[in-house]
Amino acid sequence: EKLKQPIVRSFDGFIAAGKRATAYLQTFDINVPVTQPWDVVDNDYFEQQTGSKPQGLPDEYILCASRFIHKKNHLTLLEGFNQFKKNTTTATKLVLIGSGPLKKEIQKSISDLKLQDDVVMFDFVQYDELPQFYKHSKALILPSLSDQWGLVVNEAMACGKPVIVSNRCGCADDLVVNGENGWVIEPTAQGIAESLQQLAATDSETLHQMGQNSLKRLNGFGLDDFSKAVTRLVTDYNLKSNQHGFNRLVLLRNYL
């Protein structure tokens, strides 16, 4: 951190992802403008897409869309989902979208836990089909051990869905309010199981309202908001160009 300080202090302004990134910047005692957001998606695109349920999807499912790598915590997700299934009679399935080096390990865990009938895997989904995977789900879950932000949360919320998000995800502080549009959880098997039980105990009308709350929570986290953040730094704060003719801006996601 001491080595970073002179580098961080050499910049004229920052675009931070959200509250956590901004708070982290402040630890360097900077005295320059910091604005946000940085991690955004095309909310209108996801909200406005319509269509039928893609083939192969269960009638009722929870969705997890992320790369099959350690920090995304799929193995713990499967353990938590298994605990949940043992304590409920719900027909809810788990749908995994992704690819990566842990694919075989994830498949083995599904087999070991005897979840073959309850977990459906998709290797790849076309971008124009993705909104329907969100919209026909019961909720999105992102149980990462570490995540600078988690753009899939933005996408699911733009589709009007509740979200279950690990407290290790950078977006948790800005986008998720417990009981309002989802749940912020500890990324443990118990934390996952408890959140799924809460989801199962929530009636459809309340879940719909939580999805509408997700859409409202995205106010301030759209493409236009990112454009305005850049404009504020370049014009409103009148940043001076360095000797090479470029404005010295840092697009800070979460941690340098």
Side-chain angles (χ1 to χ4, degrees):
E1 298 302 295
K2 290 182 179 179
L3 290 173
K4 292 177 187 176
Q5 192 166 50
I7 300 173
V8 173
R9 287 183 172 181
S10 72
F11 289 92
D12 301 309
F14 298 85
I15 303 177
K19 294 177 181 177
R20 291 191 190 183
T22 301
Y24 176 69
L25 274 173
Q26 300 304 333
T27 65
F28 292 99
D29 296 324
I30 59 170
N31 189 29
V32 295
V34 180
T35 188
Q36 61 184 63
W38 163 244
D39 284 301
V40 300
V41 300
D42 188 344
N43 296 332
D44 291 339
Y45 172 80
F46 283 92
E47 182 180 359
Q48 294 169 8
Q49 292 299 303
T50 59
S52 58
K53 180 184 289 187
Q55 290 186 349
L57 284 174
D59 291 334
E60 183 178 296
Y61 64 94
I62 300 156
L63 179 66
C64 179
S66 60
R67 290 194 64 213
F68 295 154
I69 56 178
H70 173 71
K71 75 173 187 175
K72 298 297 184 177
N73 208 24
H74 289 89
L75 299 180
T76 305
L77 170 60
L78 291 171
E79 292 176 12
F81 181 70
N82 187 48
Q83 290 182 23
F84 163 69
K85 292 295 287 187
K86 286 181 177 179
N87 294 304
T88 182
T89 57
T90 180
T92 302
K93 312 292 186 183
L94 176 64
V95 172
L96 304 179
I97 299 176
S99 61
L102 288 186
K103 179 179 179 180
K104 289 185 177 180
E105 195 171 345
I106 291 170
Q107 290 174 324
K108 182 178 184 302
S109 180
I110 292 171
S111 177
D112 291 344
L113 294 170
K114 296 180 173 55
L115 290 173
Q116 296 94 324
D117 295 333
D118 294 302
V119 180
V120 181
M121 297 179 70
F122 288 83
D123 289 334
F124 179 75
V125 174
Q126 296 286 349
Y127 187 73
D128 60 348
E129 295 180 327
L130 191 55
Q132 300 315 313
F133 278 77
Y134 289 123
K135 290 193 173 187
H136 290 279
S137 71
K138 194 169 185 179
L140 173 85
I141 185 166
L142 185 64
S144 305
L145 294 171
S146 171
D147 222 315
Q148 286 90 343
W149 184 259
L151 282 174
V152 293
V153 176
N154 298 58
E155 294 173 351
M157 289 173 60
C159 289
K161 306 308 296 187
V163 290
I164 300 171
V165 181
S166 163
N167 57 16
R168 312 290 178 82
C169 296
C171 68
D173 293 352
D174 296 88
L175 298 184
V176 190
V177 177
N178 272 316
E180 181 178 303
N181 71 315
W183 295 273
V184 178
I185 64 169
E186 287 286 342
T188 62
Q190 181 178 349
I192 291 166
E194 289 176 353
S195 69
L196 296 180
Q197 289 165 1
Q198 287 179 300
L199 178 68
T202 305
D203 62 78
S204 58
E205 183 177 345
T206 301
L207 287 177
H208 175 74
Q209 184 57 54
M210 291 176 77
Q212 295 304 300
N213 293 340
S214 281
L215 286 169
K216 294 176 183 177
R217 292 290 302 175
L218 282 178
N219 288 337
F221 285 88
L223 297 180
D224 288 344
D225 300 298
F226 171 71
S227 298
K228 291 174 182 176
V230 176
T231 301
R232 281 196 298 270
L233 282 180
V234 176
T235 60
D236 296 355
Y237 297 127
N238 194 26
L239 292 180
K240 296 180 180 179
S241 296
N242 65 20
Q243 60 183 343
H244 301 293
F246 298 101
N247 287 316
R248 295 181 295 169
L249 307 178
V250 171
L251 306 183
L252 178 66
R253 297 194 66 200
N254 195 0
Y255 301 110
L256 293 173

